[in-house]
Amino acid sequence: MKWPIGPSVAEERAEAVRKLVPSQPATPWKHNGLLLRIVFTVLAAIAVAAAFGFFALLSLPKGILTAMLAIGAAEWLITEHRFFRTGLESSLWLCGTFAFIFGLPSQGKVEALLVFAAASALSGWRMRNEFFGALAAILVVVYIAAKWEHTPILAMSIAALIAIASAFALHRVWQRPSNERLFAGLVVTMPLTGYLSTIALRMFQTTFVMNIQVAAILGITAIVMLIAGIAWRDRILLISATLSVACASIELRQLFHYPAERKLIAAGITVIAIAVTLERALRRKTRGLVVTVVATNPYDEAMQIGGILTVAPHGSAPAEHAHTGPVLDDSASPTDKSFGGAGAGGGY
């Protein structure tokens, strides 16, 4: 039996198309919406915690037994019932690895954060879960901030580098939609995580000192994301740039010794001015970044994904997604592939 068992590339793409066009045939894997995934995630976490406590009461090796029970149940659901992205099997996998770590002897060292980051990364890889992957990166940034607490710029720099690297990775065409979701999550969360880490380090000091270097890193990140977002027409990068600018503005708030009302009024006027300027500059544009409302339907975006599906190799695709069109190996067949367009033959 091949391991790990899970949706193939073709099945992930087919499921992405089906989300846009529900009439498309379903894959054999069971999925849930975001709300149900959250509910099942919480319920599975409660069940794993209860098992952990039960084994602890019996004075048994609670960590290893709970991990075996949770991960075994998750793999059974995946193998026998085709559960994937339902929330249940993902939570069992993550909580199982965490239970194993909690069962180990602890010395209270900050390096434990790296162990939890590794467990999150392993669970994210196995379950193709972008949230677990982002959690692993967040834990790494938090570890750096806690380990080198006197140099908050280090955590901010690492978070910014991860965000910029993820932005370039997002520009690449990935076969699996889950990879794109992972990099998109890192692009959005890393600047915010890095800045919050620096705030947490300074909260315990006697005075909260403004850090120009942190603001500069956020500003550079915002510029890179803005340029890349405009060049690559990527909304996620523009959102990340907006968050970075907001964090940098909060960090530099002490430079503006004005009442809060004046700051809010100035911010509102600035936002309105930017909106009016963009609306006038993009009013008549029909390509690239536009503001003109265009009537679209789910088939428009589905055609983009469908184009990749038609040229992708079908060796790993299930029978219901196999190529069923005409065979165009012989140009003399009724489905002649040599044509001149508009119904004319290639020899016309």
Side-chain angles (χ1 to χ4, degrees):
M1 179 182 296
K2 184 179 179 181
W3 193 89
I5 300 173
S8 63
V9 174
E11 287 171 334
E12 274 200 35
R13 291 175 174 175
E15 187 62 30
V17 174
R18 187 170 180 270
K19 288 181 179 179
L20 300 171
V21 186
S23 60
Q24 294 296 312
T27 62
W29 298 94
K30 296 180 177 63
H31 304 269
N32 283 330
L34 181 59
L35 182 59
L36 280 179
R37 286 172 62 187
I38 294 174
V39 172
F40 283 120
T41 297
V42 173
L43 293 177
I46 295 173
V48 174
F52 187 86
F54 176 74
F55 290 130
L57 289 175
L58 298 179
S59 299
L60 296 175
K62 52 186 180 296
I64 184 65
L65 290 179
T66 305
M68 292 176 58
L69 180 63
I71 296 177
E75 290 295 333
W76 177 75
L77 289 173
I78 295 171
T79 305
E80 300 298 329
H81 297 279
R82 298 292 179 177
F83 277 32
F84 219 88
R85 296 184 68 83
T86 65
L88 185 59
E89 75 293 337
S90 302
S91 181
L92 287 174
W93 238 98
L94 181 66
C95 295
T97 55
F98 278 17
F100 175 76
I101 297 172
F102 280 122
L104 298 176
S106 176
Q107 298 179 352
K109 293 185 177 181
V110 71
E111 282 74 16
L113 290 171
L114 292 179
V115 182
F116 284 104
S120 300
L122 177 62
S123 301
W125 168 79
R126 174 63 185 97
M127 304 310 304
R128 313 297 308 177
N129 192 301
E130 62 276 10
F131 296 106
F132 296 168
L135 176 61
I138 290 172
L139 290 174
V140 170
V141 174
V142 172
Y143 162 75
I144 295 173
K147 182 69 173 180
W148 293 276
E149 56 183 346
H150 299 294
T151 54
I153 189 176
L154 182 60
M156 187 69 250
S157 301
I158 296 298
L161 288 176
I162 295 175
I164 294 174
S166 300
F168 282 93
L170 193 60
H171 183 56
R172 183 182 182 274
V173 179
W174 295 93
Q175 292 186 345
R176 289 186 179 271
S178 56
N179 291 337
E180 294 184 0
R181 292 193 296 265
L182 170 63
F183 291 120
L186 293 176
V187 164
V188 173
T189 57
M190 283 297 99
L192 189 60
T193 301
Y195 182 59
L196 291 178
S197 298
T198 64
I199 291 180
L201 292 177
R202 290 175 288 174
M203 284 179 59
F204 300 99
Q205 299 177 358
T206 55
T207 57
F208 192 92
V209 182
M210 178 181 60
N211 195 319
I212 301 295
Q213 294 176 329
V214 171
I217 295 174
L218 286 168
I220 294 173
T221 304
I223 293 173
V224 173
M225 294 298 179
L226 182 62
I227 295 175
I230 294 175
W232 299 335
R233 310 292 193 268
D234 198 317
R235 290 172 293 180
I236 294 296
L237 301 185
L238 297 178
I239 293 173
S240 178
T242 304
L243 291 174
S244 299
V245 169
C247 293
S249 302
I250 295 173
E251 184 64 27
L252 297 176
R253 67 189 183 278
Q254 296 181 4
L255 294 177
F256 308 97
H257 299 284
Y258 301 106
E261 293 80 4
R262 292 187 182 181
K263 293 181 181 180
L264 292 175
I265 292 173
I269 294 174
T270 303
V271 171
I272 293 175
I274 294 174
V276 172
T277 303
L278 290 177
E279 195 276 334
R280 289 182 177 274
L282 304 177
R283 178 179 296 175
R284 299 184 182 277
K285 292 193 65 175
T286 57
R287 300 181 61 182
L289 297 176
V290 300
V291 295
T292 306
V293 179
V294 181
T296 60
N297 56 65
Y299 288 94
D300 295 328
E301 191 171 354
M303 288 175 62
Q304 301 178 12
I305 304 177
I308 303 176
L309 283 171
T310 57
V311 299
H314 297 277
S316 59
E320 59 267 25
H321 299 298
H323 179 66
T324 57
V327 179
L328 303 180
D329 295 333
D330 184 10
S331 62
S333 63
T335 54
D336 196 348
K337 63 183 177 183
S338 60
F339 62 93
Y348 177 74

